[in-house]
Amino acid sequence: MPQPKFCLVFLATIAALPLALLAQEHAPVNPLAHEIFKQLIDINTTDSVGNVTIAAEAMAARLRDAGFTEQDVQVAGPTDRKKNMVARIHGSGKRKPVLFIGHLDVVEARREDWTTDPFEFIEKDGYFYGRGTNDMKESDAILVTNFIRMKKEGFVPDRDLILTLTADEEGGNYNGVDWLIKEHRDWIDAEYCINLDAGEFEKQGDHRLLTAIQASEKVYADFQLESLNAGGHSSVPSKDNAIYHLAAALTRLESFSFPTNINEITRNYFQQTAELTQGPVAADLRAAAKQPPNPAAVTRLSAIPYYNALLRTTCVATMLSGGHAPNALPQTARANVNCRIFPDEDPADIRKTLERVIADPKVAVADVPLHAADGSVVRLVTVPPSPLLPELTHAMDDTVHAMYGNVPVVASMSTGATDGRITRTAGIPTYGISCMFFEVNDNRAHGKDERVGIQDIYDGIQYNYNLIQQISAPK
Ligand SMILES: [Zn+2]
């Protein structure tokens, strides 16, 4: 799950309907969703000791019980613990399929760090607690519930609907979306993909602020800075010191900013969020959205970390090591620099820029390779933003306004990475739409006492159902 989208200090509470007025009548599906959600949370799907296959098999069994044929529900993957599930509702074939993706794996959680057992589904004070309640078993439960509901209703869409629940989004060596693209592209090929792991719907207390459609995301890359030296006895030091070379290089990096880069999606995002924001920041957002952007406004916004991350590629030192003894001159000094690269910029150019900024031949910059499950090196590529599809943005507008009134729909770019990068790179335009509201001031994904609002998930089921109907019901 990507980072929250807003610096909330700057958000005005906009006119939105109180949540209580919006609670929908959809009782019949809620007990089923509750059962599925509990089952998923109770199954540990961490990389260390968990098992994604058990969760995939459990969801497959539910779909088969609801009437899906053996052929229309596949469970497959590269290892016993890392199997993915793919299910299909057949449509009339008038339009090309739509793919829905969600990951079944969760981030590690230690019992002693939590108030309750993270792998036990607990209902308390209007929330469901447990690892994965917010990232993203709630969304997996929403999708499985609605696929069962549509099957039982005998719904025949005008295009196939594909549900894919996968392994290793959070880590691990067997990313399920990547594996399916390589091994079974025909199972999941689609006109476009909706990823429930991005595009947060944001609420603050009782007010729904905005709904997002994530159409782009930055690319993750690590680089190693390394300084090597012959070393020697520390009683006779020289100025030529590996730690000093590296420290000076990092200081130059600290004061460097990559050039501003604003694309269609972030420009639109700045314009729209200006409407939800008060004071000078609102004016700066509008000025940054102009073509060309106002440089002074961009500079002021860049002082706010979240806006800075939306305005340019960022590279930051994240790990440091060096030396081998307290009384020896260091022979090595190393730092990891983590970059989040703008979607249309070439990672190879970013490395060249780092070398230029560091400007010291005694500090080498090297790619830190990412490895695929088969051990091969994953080549970093630019991830094309997905062009906003009128069909889908209209469907979002209609369904959001019908259910939630005048809450805006905003296109967004994630500063973090999701599985959407894999489907986009494979040529399937991908849109992050979380379908349910999260409290922006209380994001516990990957953290302690992760939770989700009970009414939020039940509203999410209905919203997701309405959206699927809107994009696939025969007209
Ligand atoms: Zn996630």
Side-chain angles (χ1 to χ4, degrees):
M1 171 172 281
Q3 292 89 332
K5 265 181 294 300
F6 266 112
C7 283
L8 277 162
V9 240
F10 302 103
L11 259 189
T13 46
I14 56 153
L17 300 171
L19 297 189
L21 291 179
L22 292 158
Q24 302 282 312
E25 289 294 327
H26 41 84
V29 297
N30 288 352
L32 174 64
H34 185 279
E35 228 178 80
I36 294 171
F37 195 20
K38 175 174 170 20
Q39 185 176 27
L40 284 173
I41 297 296
D42 289 345
I43 300 170
N44 184 328
T45 54
T46 56
D47 186 40
S48 59
V49 298
N51 190 321
V52 169
T53 303
I54 294 172
E57 291 284 11
M59 296 304 105
R62 286 186 175 275
L63 291 165
R64 290 191 195 107
D65 286 349
F68 284 76
T69 64
E70 287 293 320
Q71 212 186 333
D72 288 337
V73 183
Q74 305 285 346
V75 176
T79 76
D80 286 349
R81 280 202 307 138
K82 304 285 187 178
K83 292 190 181 172
N84 312 286
M85 195 217 69
V86 182
R88 181 179 292 254
I89 289 179
H90 291 275
S92 67
K94 196 171 164 215
R95 289 188 284 172
K96 284 195 188 149
V98 174
L99 168 68
F100 296 86
I101 58 172
H103 61 83
L104 288 168
D105 62 310
V106 295
V107 173
E108 306 292 333
R110 291 188 303 196
R111 175 67 189 89
E112 60 269 30
D113 292 342
W114 279 51
T115 307
T116 57
D117 182 346
F119 299 99
E120 195 186 321
F121 185 71
I122 287 168
E123 189 171 337
K124 204 173 62 181
D125 308 327
Y127 293 91
F128 293 127
Y129 287 82
R131 174 56 89 222
T133 49
N134 186 259
D135 184 12
M136 60 168 295
K137 286 175 169 172
E138 81 292 4
S139 303
D140 301 333
I142 286 174
L143 286 167
V144 173
T145 301
N146 282 334
F147 269 63
I148 288 172
R149 177 177 170 186
M150 290 186 288
K151 179 58 89 178
K152 290 199 161 159
E153 288 171 348
F155 176 55
V156 181
D158 70 0
R159 63 200 330 168
D160 285 10
L161 301 170
I162 307 164
L163 166 58
T164 299
L165 303 177
T166 63
D168 283 10
E169 191 272 347
E170 301 287 6
N173 292 321
Y174 302 99
N175 183 286
V177 177
D178 184 54
W179 186 83
L180 285 163
I181 289 280
K182 285 179 180 143
E183 304 295 328
H184 295 284
R185 170 100 189 210
D186 55 317
W187 291 359
I188 62 167
D189 210 19
E191 183 173 348
Y192 61 88
C193 168
I194 294 179
N195 177 13
L196 273 73
D197 200 22
E200 267 61 59
F201 289 16
E202 300 182 359
K203 66 167 192 170
Q204 200 176 13
D206 267 357
H207 288 95
R208 292 186 161 97
L209 300 168
L210 65 87
T211 62
I213 176 166
Q214 180 248 37
S216 183
E217 61 187 55
K218 290 175 108 179
V219 177
Y220 180 109
D222 284 316
F223 295 94
Q224 179 185 261
L225 271 51
E226 182 183 59
S227 186
L228 300 179
N229 193 282
H233 203 288
S234 60
S235 62
V236 280
S238 129
K239 293 283 181 205
D240 181 16
N241 177 304
I243 288 176
Y244 293 157
H245 278 287
L246 182 67
L250 292 174
T251 303
R252 286 191 283 277
L253 178 62
E254 181 193 3
S255 54
F256 173 75
S257 281
F258 281 83
T260 308
N261 190 344
I262 299 174
N263 61 24
E264 179 210 352
I265 291 157
T266 52
R267 183 175 301 115
N268 188 276
Y269 180 83
F270 292 147
Q271 278 160 354
Q272 298 222 42
T273 48
E275 305 302 318
L276 307 173
T277 307
Q278 282 178 333
V281 173
D284 283 345
L285 286 167
R286 277 187 202 100
K290 287 218 172 84
Q291 287 180 286
N294 177 297
V298 167
T299 302
R300 283 189 296 272
L301 288 175
S302 299
I304 302 165
Y306 179 63
Y307 289 129
N308 183 54
L310 287 179
L311 283 163
R312 56 177 49 85
T313 291
T314 61
C315 289
V316 61
T318 53
M319 293 199 307
L320 194 58
S321 66
H324 58 283
N327 57 355
L329 297 172
Q331 288 181 259
T332 61
R334 294 192 186 95
N336 187 81
V337 170
N338 179 243
C339 296
R340 303 304 177 117
I341 302 171
F342 228 76
D344 62 349
E345 294 176 17
D346 185 347
D349 291 339
I350 301 303
R351 200 194 59 203
K352 284 182 205 142
T353 303
L354 288 175
E355 284 166 346
R356 182 172 57 73
V357 169
I358 285 161
D360 181 348
K362 293 207 163 172
V363 179
V365 181
D367 300 335
V368 177
L370 296 170
H371 290 281
D374 61 2
S376 63
V377 172
V378 178
R379 226 175 64 77
L380 291 177
V381 287
T382 58
V383 180
S386 300
L388 289 173
L389 271 187
E391 168 199 318
L392 188 59
T393 40
H394 290 153
M396 275 279 283
D397 282 340
D398 291 352
T399 47
V400 167
H401 297 151
M403 204 163 151
Y404 300 118
N406 198 23
V407 177
V409 177
V410 177
S412 70
M413 178 182 80
S414 293
T415 55
T418 72
D419 276 346
R421 77 189 183 282
I422 299 164
T423 43
R424 284 191 185 105
T425 305
I428 304 172
T430 299
Y431 305 96
I433 305 175
S434 71
C435 293
M436 55 175 292
F437 282 86
F438 296 95
E439 173 62 49
V440 273
N441 288 329
D442 188 30
N443 185 340
R444 302 186 183 192
H446 296 204
K448 178 189 174 182
D449 296 345
E450 184 178 346
R451 67 182 187 181
V452 68
I454 293 175
Q455 191 58 48
D456 291 327
I457 179 168
Y458 290 156
D459 288 341
I461 296 167
Q462 187 61 41
Y463 177 78
N464 175 257
Y465 179 85
N466 294 351
L467 182 69
I468 296 175
Q469 294 288 317
Q470 191 79 279
I471 60 176
S472 70
K475 297 259 161 20

